Structures are given as structure tokens and as C-alpha cells.
Amino acid sequence: MKIRFIVKIIVVFGLAFLLTACTLFGKGSDKQKEDTSKQKQEKSKAQSTSQDDSVINQELKKQYQMYNEIIEYKTQQEKKLIKQSEERYKKLKEESNKSDKSSSDSEQKK
């Protein structure tokens, strides 16, 4: 009876050892296959995103260029307005000086 009990314990431990060994070593090759497939997928995603990034970058560069052109146009318009206002100011100042001189001349004649 004791011998059967000892044999059963040995068999149970043997099966437990066998199952753990199979799960540890058997899944190693599956893990390697999964890792390699994941790496391939990541590489393909990286390549596709780099291509997408290049398209996105090109579009962003175009938009940035347009933005810079718009800003440059606005600054040119502002410069033109400043020049025009300066010219108007000079004309008004000259006219006011002329009117002052003429009024002072007329007062002196009287």
C-alpha cells in the first residue's frame, strides 16, 4: 500500500515536472515567433508612418510657406500705409505752416 502511494506521488510529481518543462520550453519558440512577427509589424508601421510623415511634413511646409508669404504681404502693406500717412502729415504740416505765414504776413501789413 505504501509502495503504491509512493509511486503515485512520484508519478504526480513527474507529470507536474513534465508539464512545467513543456510550458516553459514549448512556448519559447512561440514567443520567438510572436516577437519576430511583432517586430516585423512594428517595422512596417514605422515605414508607413515615415512615409505618412513625409507627406504630412510636405503639407506642413507648404502651409508654413503660405503663412510666411501672408505675413510678408501684411508687413509690406503696413509699410505702405506708414509712408502714406507720413506724406500726408508732411503735406498738412506744410499747409499749416503756409497758412500761419500768410496770416502772420497779413497781420504785419495791417
Side-chain angles (χ1 to χ4, degrees), residues 5 13 20 24 27 35 41 43 54 75-76 82 109:
F5 182 71
F13 280 117
T20 55
L24 290 176
K27 283 192 177 179
D35 289 342
Q41 288 175 354
K43 286 180 182 178
S54 65
T75 54
Q76 288 175 355
I82 291 170
K109 286 182 181 180

Side-chain angles (χ1 to χ4, degrees), residues 75-85:
T75 54
Q76 288 175 355
Q77 294 300 319
E78 288 175 358
K79 286 179 182 178
K80 286 181 183 178
L81 285 173
I82 291 170
K83 285 181 182 179
Q84 287 176 354
S85 64

Side-chain angles (χ1 to χ4, degrees), residues 15-27:
L15 289 175
F17 178 75
L18 184 64
L19 285 174
T20 55
C22 288
T23 56
L24 290 176
F25 297 115
K27 283 192 177 179

Side-chain angles (χ1 to χ4, degrees), residues 3 12 16 36 73 83 89 91 96 106 109:
I3 296 176
V12 168
T36 55
Y73 177 76
K83 285 181 182 179
Y89 176 74
K91 285 181 182 179
S96 69
S106 66
K109 286 182 181 180

Side-chain angles (χ1 to χ4, degrees), residues 57-73:
N57 286 338
Q58 289 174 357
E59 186 65 30
L60 286 174
K61 286 179 183 177
K62 288 179 185 176
Q63 290 179 1
Y64 184 70
Q65 228 173 5
M66 289 171 57
Y67 175 74
N68 284 337
E69 290 173 0
I70 290 169
I71 290 179
E72 186 177 331
Y73 177 76

